[in-house]
Amino acid sequence: MQHFAAGVVFSALAVEILPDIMHRHAPLAALGGFTAGVLLMLGLREAGCRIQKESSSPMGMTLVVGTDVLIDGVLIGVAFAAGAREGVLVTIALAVEMLSLGLATAASLARAGASRRRIIASILVLAVLPFAGAVAGNLLLGGLQGGWMEAVLALAAATFLYLVTEELLTEAHEVPEAPWMTALFFAGFIGLLLLEMLAPAG
């Protein structure tokens, strides 16, 4: 699942986000947004590591994951502000990623000794956060024009790259894997690419 999700997210980045950034021709805004995205994700990783070290409760991990999916929701809202096609593809990509993340979170909570009721409640809260983030992202950032939208899209590109390289694939490689598991990355990539090619224009 993590390999497949990584392929889908990487495809959304290559098919929609990066071409949109290139067509806007605002290099300074792109540099600023990309740098901000990298710093944001590195900061979240550092905060997550500290929370997990200092908190013996499994809810510390849930808080970190909740922040992650909330940001994903904001990216969905921004993608729809940039265009309907961008929004749909980003939503598909992040939905697959969130499914993988939800399953991993539930398994981690179970290993930490959380009750079934707490696990279900945590997953339900995590499922609501992307919707809240999408609404907030669209309302707060949907009206951006020119270089500001370029910067936000570049920030989204940085978070997508981090998500693929430092989270999904890193975690997927922590366990022994068969060749067919690795092939799922490429299946996810070409699947979303073909979906974009076959979708009606406009």
Side-chain angles (χ1 to χ4, degrees):
M1 180 65 73
Q2 288 170 326
H3 278 97
F4 184 77
V8 172
V9 172
F10 194 72
S11 183
L13 173 65
V15 170
E16 285 295 342
I17 302 298
L18 290 180
D20 199 354
I21 293 174
M22 294 293 293
H23 291 159
R24 291 174 183 267
H25 301 292
L28 291 180
L31 176 61
F34 193 87
T35 302
V38 172
L39 294 176
L40 173 64
M41 299 311 293
L42 292 178
L44 287 176
R45 182 178 70 175
E46 182 65 22
C49 291
R50 290 186 179 182
I51 290 175
Q52 290 182 347
K53 288 180 180 179
E54 296 173 1
S55 175
S56 58
S57 169
M59 299 311 294
M61 179 187 63
T62 307
L63 178 63
V64 175
V65 175
T67 303
D68 190 6
V69 298
L70 183 63
I71 293 174
D72 288 346
V74 173
L75 296 180
I76 291 174
V78 171
F80 271 106
R85 293 171 71 90
E86 290 91 337
V88 170
L89 287 183
V90 169
T91 300
I92 293 173
L94 291 181
V96 177
E97 180 262 333
M98 290 178 192
L99 173 60
S100 172
L101 187 61
L103 293 173
T105 301
S108 297
L109 290 174
R111 288 195 298 269
S115 65
R116 179 175 298 181
R117 180 175 299 178
R118 174 168 289 186
I119 293 173
I120 293 174
S122 298
I123 297 302
L124 289 177
V125 171
L126 293 178
V128 172
L129 287 176
F131 293 99
V135 172
N138 194 270
L139 291 177
L140 298 176
L141 304 175
L144 295 178
Q145 299 293 332
W148 287 107
M149 180 57 74
E150 171 86 7
V152 172
L153 289 174
L155 185 147
T159 59
F160 274 31
L161 283 173
Y162 181 90
L163 178 65
V164 171
T165 59
E166 295 297 323
E167 289 189 6
L168 291 170
L169 291 181
T170 298
E171 293 176 5
H173 292 158
E174 289 179 354
V175 296
E177 57 187 82
W180 68 267
M181 296 180 184
T182 304
L184 287 175
F185 171 85
F186 300 97
F189 184 93
I190 193 63
L192 194 68
L193 177 61
L194 292 176
L195 181 63
E196 165 66 5
M197 295 173 65
L198 296 174

